[in-house]
Amino acid sequence: MGESKPRYKRYDSPAGGWGAAAATAKVLLEQSVFTKGSRALLSMNQPGGFKCPSCAFPDPECKKTLEFCENGAKALAHEATRFRVTRDFFAQYSVTALGEQSDYWLEMQGRLTEPMRYDSATDHYVPVSWDDAFALIGDHLRRLDSPHHAEFYTSGRTPNEAAFLYSIFVREFGTNNFPDCSNMCHEPTSRGLPPAIGVGKGTVILEDFEHTEAIFIIGQNTGTNSPRMMTNLVEARKRGVPIVVVNPMPERALIKFTEPQDVVQMATFGSTPIASEFVHIRIGGDLAFLKGMMKVMFEREDAGEPILDRAFLAEHVVGLDELRADVMAQDWDEIVRISGIEEAQIRRCAEVYIRSKATMICYGMGLTQHQLSSRLLQQVANILLLKGNFGKPGAGISPIRGHSNVQGDRTVGIDEKPSQAYLDRVREVFGFEPPREHGHHTVETVEAMLDGTARVFIGLGGNFVRAVPDTDRAYAAMRKLDLTVGIATKLNRGHLIHGKDALILPVVARSERIETEAGEQFVTIEDSMSNVTASRGVLDPASPDCLPEVEIVCRMAMATLPASKIDWARYIHDYGAIRDKIAEVYPEIYAGFAEKIRNPKGFHLDVAPRRLVWKTPNGKANMLVLPGLDVDTPVDDPEMLRLATVRSHDQFNTTIYSYSDRYRGVYNDRMVLFMNAEDRAARGLEAGAKIALETISGDGVARRVDGLTVLDYAMPRGAVAGYYPELNPLLPLDHYDRISGTPAAKSIPVRVVTG
Ligand SMILES: Nc1nc2c(c(=O)[nH]1)N[C@H]1C(S)=C(S)[C@@H](COP(=O)(O)OP(=O)(O)OC[C@H]3O[C@@H](n4cnc5c(=O)[nH]c(N)nc54)[C@H](O)[C@@H]3O)O[C@H]1N2
Ligand SMILES: Nc1nc2c(c(=O)[nH]1)N[C@H]1C(S)=C(S)[C@@H](COP(=O)(O)OP(=O)(O)OC[C@H]3O[C@@H](n4cnc5c(=O)[nH]c(N)nc54)[C@H](O)[C@@H]3O)O[C@H]1N2
Ligand SMILES: [Mo]
C-alpha cells in the first residue's frame, strides 16, 4: 500500500485501454467487492439505476450496456466497499491517534456505520443515538446569538432533494451562510458568465459533440477527471474534428487514448491521437493566449477578410468596440511572453477557430482557479460571441463541472448570494420571511471561524478543512468552534479536526437503496450539461443505522425549529412531495417535474442562450473587457515559480485511492514537484532532489511544505505542479478571485528552499 518504494517512470503508452481495465479490476478486489461491485457497475448510469457518484459529465445516452470508466469504478468500489468503521474501531483509536494517520489510511477504513459523538473526557468518538444527535444540533443552533454564527457547507454529491430542503431549513433558521464546494471550483462560471451571457452554466449538450467542427479543451484533465468525455473526443477525432488542448501539462489521455469500449483498438493495442494541436501554456497564460487569438481575428477582419459573424453581433451583442480596442492595444511580444506561446502557434489556433462554423470551448480548474478567473471566463464568452458560437448545434461554452451534483445543488438553492426574486418565491411557497443579506462563501467562512464569529459548522458531505486553502490556519479555525458536524459516508480529516462538540453522522450512499414508510424512494441529479435524471440505488445500505441525507436534513430542521410550519415529517418519507415544492419555487425550469422525471432519460433544464435569449439586464450578450494580460497579480521576485495544485489519476478530491499517478509516471509517492529540467538546473538541483517550497506572500504568515521530490517534467519554464490537498498549506486564504471567492489554487507564487 502506501509504504512501497517510490518509482518514477515516464508513461509513453496511450491512456485508457488495458491499463484502465486492469485498474478497475484491482480496485474492486482491493475493496473486496468484485462480484457486488461488478453487479452494481451494470446498473450505474442505466435507466432505473443510480448515477455515478464520481464526476458531473453526462451519460452517453445508454448507447453501450456498460459504459466503461475506470475512475467511476473506483468511486463506486470505494463506496460499496466491504470495510466498515464501527464503534469498536472508535473505541480502539483515540481522535489524536487517528489524527496521525494519513488521508489514505482513513479512507481505507471503510464506511461509517452509526452516529458518533466526540467525548472530550476520553478523546474518543462514542456512539450516540440519532435522537440525541439531532437534539444536540438543535440546542447549539438555538443557543446562538445570531443565526449568522452558523455555517452550512454543502459538497456536490448531495442530491437535489436533500440540498433543496437544506437550503429551506437554513433560510428558515435565518441565514444565507452557504459555503459550498462550488465556491472552490466552478464559481467563476456561476458568477462570471451571468453578466456576459445571462446564465452561469454551460450551453453545450452532448449531441453538440456530433455537430461540432472544432473543440478547445483548456485547463482540464479529461482522461482523469471526466473520463466519460473521452468517448466523445475519440468520436470527434475519428470524424476529423480538430481538438486544441491548452495546458501546462501534456496530459496523457489528451495526447493519445485507447477506448476501452473499442474491441478492435483494445485487441490491436491501437489508439486515437486526441489533440491535433497541443498548446503548452504557461500557468496563468490563458488570457494572453485568448487575446492573441482575438487579435488575429480583428487583424484579419481589418484586412478585409469576413472573419466575424457580423449579423449575430449586430443582433445580439453589446460591447464589440470596447473589446476590439482592448485586444488591439495588446502587444504581440507581451502576448508571447506571458502566454509562453509563439505567435505562429497562436495564429494556427486562431485559424482552426476561424475555419470552424461551430466551436465549443470546454474548460476546467486550469481556468477557474486564478485571481481573475470570473473575468477570464468572460473573455472565453467574448471569443465565442465573435463568431456567433451560441444557439446553434455543435457550438457553445462548456464548463466541465466537478462533483456529480454540484450544479444541481446550486440550481435548487445552495447559494450564499441568492437573488431577491428567488427569496420572494421561497416566502410565497413556504410562508416564512427568508433573510435578505448575503451569507458567507467558503473563504469568508474560514475568516469567520478565525475571527471567532462562527460557532457552529455543519458539513453536508465533503471534507471542508482539507479542501480549503491555508491548511494550518483552517485547522486552527475549525478547532475554535463549539460544534462541528460531519454528514458523511467515509471517515475523513474533517471529523478529526473538530469543535468542542462534534458529531459524525453516517449516510446512505448514492449506490444504495432508500426505503421509507412510503416505499422505495429515488433522488435526482443535474449533470454538467443541465440534464436532470433520477438516481435509484441498488445495493443494501452500508449499515441499518445509516440515514438518507433527506431524513438527516429534515430531522435537523425539526430539532432546531420546533415551531416551523413546514411539513418536514412528510418530506422524510415522500421525495415526490419535495420535488413538487422544487417545481413551485422554480416554475420556469422545473414545472411538471413529477411528470418529466418519469422519462428514464430525464430531461433538460432550459438554458436560455441556447435559444439566443440573454437574461442580462439589457437583454443582450455583453462583451466585457478585462484589461491587460495577467490573471494573477505579478510577483517581482526572480526566484518565483507559479505552482498549480492538481489531482492525480488516483484520487477523488481529498479522497486518495492510491499513491500512484500512472499517466504522469509517478508510483507510490504524492510528495512530488513537477518541474522543467532547466528551472531545476538553474537552482543547482539534481533530478530527484528533496526540497521544500515556501509561499511568497506579503501577509507575514510563513507557509512551507517540506519533503518534496523534484521530478523533471515537461512543464513550461517558471511553472511547477504538485498535488492537492498535500500542498494546500501553501495556498494563502486571501489569494482568491474577488468576484467568485474561488481560491487561486492554480497560481500560488512559491520559491524552492533547500535544507
Ligand atoms: N477521478 C476524479 N474525477 C474528478 C475529480 C477527482 O478528484 N478525481 N474531481 C472532480 C472535481 S470536484 C472537479 S472540479 C473536476 C476537476 O477536474 P480538472 O478541471 O481537470 O482539475 P485539475 O486536476 O485540478 O486540473 C486541471 C488541469 O489544469 C491544468 N492547469 C493548471 N494551471 C493551468 C493554467 O494556468 N492554464 C491552463 N490552461 N491549464 C492549467 C492542469 O495541468 C490540469 O491538467 O474533476 C471532477 N472529477
Ligand atoms: N489546492 C487545491 N484545493 C482545492 C482544489 C484544487 O484543485 N486545489 N479543488 C477544489 C475543488 S474543485 C473542490 S470541488 C473541493 C472539494 O471539496 P469537498 O467536496 O469538500 O471534498 P471531497 O474530497 O470531495 O469530499 C469527500 C468526502 O465526502 C464524503 N462523501 C462522499 N460521498 C458522499 C455522499 O454521497 N454523501 C455525503 N453526505 N457525503 C459523502 C466522504 O465522507 C468523503 O470523505 O476542493 C477544492 N480544493
Ligand atoms: Mo470541484
Side-chain angles (χ1 to χ4, degrees), residues 79 107 112 153-158 181-182 184-186 365 369 402-403 406 459-464 466-469 487-492 495 507-510 549 645-647 652-655 724-725 727-728 731 745-746 748:
E79 191 171 287
E107 166 65 23
L112 296 161
Y153 181 64
T154 315
S155 170
R157 246 187 224 186
T158 296
C181 73
S182 178
M184 298 178 261
C185 183
H186 264 289
M365 298 298 101
Q369 296 177 333
H403 268 294
V406 61
L460 182 55
N463 186 4
F464 185 80
R466 208 62 185 124
V468 298
I487 301 167
T489 50
K490 291 285 191 77
L491 183 62
N492 65 44
H495 308 139
V507 303
V508 176
R510 180 79 60 78
E549 285 162 287
T645 53
V646 298
R647 292 153 172 81
F652 192 91
N653 297 341
T654 70
T655 298
Y724 141 65
L727 297 182
N728 284 37
L731 176 51
K746 295 291 183 273
I748 313 171

Side-chain angles (χ1 to χ4, degrees), residues 524-599:
T524 60
I525 303 298
E526 177 188 342
D527 66 33
S528 202
M529 293 179 178
S530 306
N531 306 300
V532 178
T533 38
S535 177
R536 271 185 200 83
V538 297
L539 301 173
D540 290 333
S543 140
D545 289 325
C546 289
L547 288 185
E549 285 162 287
V550 163
E551 177 166 352
I552 292 177
V553 171
C554 291
R555 289 176 67 183
M556 286 197 295
M558 290 156 80
T560 309
L561 307 168
S564 174
K565 300 270 184 327
I566 296 170
D567 197 353
W568 300 105
R570 171 164 186 219
Y571 299 136
I572 292 179
H573 303 295
D574 182 358
Y575 292 15
I578 308 172
R579 285 186 283 274
D580 290 344
K581 287 291 169 197
I582 294 179
E584 276 185 60
V585 174
Y586 305 96
E588 275 186 32
I589 49 171
Y590 266 119
F593 196 177
E595 195 54 43
K596 287 187 195 157
I597 200 64
R598 293 216 183 105
N599 181 342

Side-chain angles (χ1 to χ4, degrees), residues 145-459:
D145 295 337
S146 154
H148 305 306
H149 295 173
E151 306 288 348
F152 297 88
Y153 181 64
T154 315
S155 170
R157 246 187 224 186
T158 296
N160 288 332
E161 289 72 9
F164 173 73
L165 288 183
Y166 190 55
S167 75
I168 299 301
F169 153 49
V170 172
R171 293 204 164 95
E172 188 176 20
F173 173 63
T175 184
N176 287 310
N177 284 349
F178 285 108
D180 173 17
C181 73
S182 178
N183 292 148
M184 298 178 261
C185 183
H186 264 289
E187 194 70 353
T189 301
S190 308
R191 303 281 173 217
L193 293 186
I197 58 167
V199 62
K201 297 186 182 188
T203 66
V204 160
I205 61 171
L206 266 195
E207 287 74 58
D208 287 319
F209 279 93
E210 291 162 28
H211 305 285
T212 189
E213 295 187 9
I215 303 174
F216 283 68
I217 302 172
I218 313 187
Q220 207 262 335
N221 185 8
T222 316
T224 290
N225 294 325
S226 50
R228 283 201 298 270
M229 180 172 155
M230 292 310 300
T231 310
N232 302 85
L233 295 183
V234 168
E235 280 170 9
R237 275 306 276 154
K238 285 181 178 165
R239 277 201 299 118
V241 173
I243 298 182
V244 178
V245 170
V246 184
N247 202 308
M249 303 185 91
E251 304 291 18
R252 194 61 212 163
L254 291 171
I255 308 295
K256 241 187 190 167
F257 190 74
T258 298
E259 224 200 342
Q261 292 90 5
D262 184 328
V263 180
V264 177
Q265 277 198 351
M266 285 287 273
T268 57
F269 294 92
S271 64
T272 309
I274 301 295
S276 53
E277 186 81 46
F278 177 68
V279 181
H280 203 193
I281 197 95
R282 286 186 50 204
I283 289 177
D286 305 275
L287 177 63
F289 172 71
L290 291 170
K291 284 200 182 174
M293 286 195 14
M294 290 194 273
K295 192 170 164 98
V296 175
M297 294 169 71
F298 285 122
E299 281 174 2
R300 286 172 54 176
E301 178 87 8
D302 286 351
E305 258 186 275
I307 301 282
L308 310 181
D309 186 337
R310 287 283 173 190
F312 179 92
L313 290 166
E315 189 180 343
H316 296 288
V317 178
V318 169
L320 177 62
D321 293 343
E322 292 80 356
L323 177 70
R324 188 181 178 288
D326 171 67
V327 165
M328 292 310 281
Q330 308 303 327
D331 177 74
W332 271 112
D333 290 346
E334 280 298 286
I335 290 175
V336 169
R337 184 179 69 81
I338 291 176
S339 65
I341 306 304
E342 294 301 328
E343 187 179 328
Q345 189 177 23
I346 298 179
R347 289 191 180 277
R348 258 198 331 269
C349 295
E351 180 64 26
V352 170
Y353 183 67
I354 287 167
R355 268 209 216 151
S356 154
K357 289 192 283 300
T359 303
M360 57 169 86
I361 301 187
C362 311
Y363 63 89
M365 298 298 101
L367 285 198
T368 65
Q369 296 177 333
H370 293 277
Q371 285 169 293
L372 293 178
S373 279
S374 298
R375 299 178 69 187
L376 171 61
L377 297 184
Q378 295 167 352
Q379 305 308 305
V380 176
N382 286 346
I383 193 167
L384 287 168
L385 288 168
L386 283 177
K387 278 189 54 70
N389 276 308
F390 288 98
K392 62 183 178 189
I397 192 161
S398 184
I400 308 297
R401 298 257 175 186
H403 268 294
S404 49
N405 197 41
V406 61
Q407 183 165 319
D409 291 346
R410 173 52 54 88
T411 303
V412 299
I414 304 301
D415 187 347
E416 79 282 2
K417 296 188 188 73
S419 72
Q420 298 302 317
Y422 155 80
L423 294 171
D424 291 343
R425 287 299 300 159
V426 169
R427 186 187 50 208
E428 280 162 36
V429 173
F430 287 101
F432 67 86
E433 185 55 55
R436 297 281 162 170
E437 59 279 64
H438 289 169
H440 293 156
H441 57 52
T442 292
V443 168
E444 289 160 344
T445 293
V446 179
E447 285 168 351
M449 291 177 178
L450 282 170
D451 73 22
T453 43
R455 305 306 320 152
V456 172
F457 173 87
I458 296 182

Side-chain angles (χ1 to χ4, degrees), residues 513-530:
R513 262 189 306 277
I514 298 178
E515 295 279 358
T516 71
E517 274 173 15
E520 195 181 334
Q521 303 296 314
F522 66 88
V523 294
T524 60
I525 303 298
E526 177 188 342
D527 66 33
S528 202
M529 293 179 178
S530 306

